[in-house]
Amino acid sequence: MSQETGKYLIIGGIITVAAGVIIYFFHNQFKWFGNLPGDIKIKSENFRLYFPLASMIFISIAIIIIVNIVRRFF
C-alpha cells in the first residue's frame, strides 16, 4: 500500500463520519427520502419488497455531481 491509499481511506472515513453526523442530527429533514415517486414498495401478508429505485438514482446523480466538482478544483 502506498501513502496515497492511506490518504484516500482517511478522506473516505471523514466523509462517512460527516454523513453519519448529518443524518443523526437532522434525520427529521430526510423523511422524504425513501418515499420518492419511483420507489417500489410491494406488501402482502407474507411478503414485503422495497426497492428504492428513485432514491438510488438521486444518490447516484448527487455523487456524480460532487465528484465532478471536486475533480475540477483538485
Side-chain angles (χ1 to χ4, degrees), residues 3-4 6-7 11 14-15 22-23 26 28 33 39-41 45 47 49-50 52 55 63 66-67 70-71 73:
Q3 249 181 335
E4 286 289 313
K7 184 172 80 171
I11 291 170
I14 290 170
I15 291 171
I22 290 170
I23 291 171
F26 301 106
N28 291 335
F33 190 75
D39 289 343
I40 299 169
K41 297 178 185 178
E45 286 184 28
F47 182 74
L49 174 72
Y50 176 64
S55 297
I63 289 172
I66 291 168
V67 166
V70 168
R71 286 181 67 200
F73 290 112

Side-chain angles (χ1 to χ4, degrees), residues 28-70:
N28 291 335
Q29 303 296 324
F30 296 107
K31 288 188 178 181
W32 57 270
F33 190 75
N35 294 318
L36 295 173
D39 289 343
I40 299 169
K41 297 178 185 178
I42 300 173
K43 295 179 184 178
S44 67
E45 286 184 28
N46 299 327
F47 182 74
R48 186 179 287 178
L49 174 72
Y50 176 64
F51 187 69
L53 183 63
S55 297
M56 292 299 107
I57 291 172
F58 176 77
I59 287 176
S60 177
I61 291 170
I63 289 172
I64 289 170
I65 290 170
I66 291 168
V67 166
N68 283 329
I69 289 171
V70 168

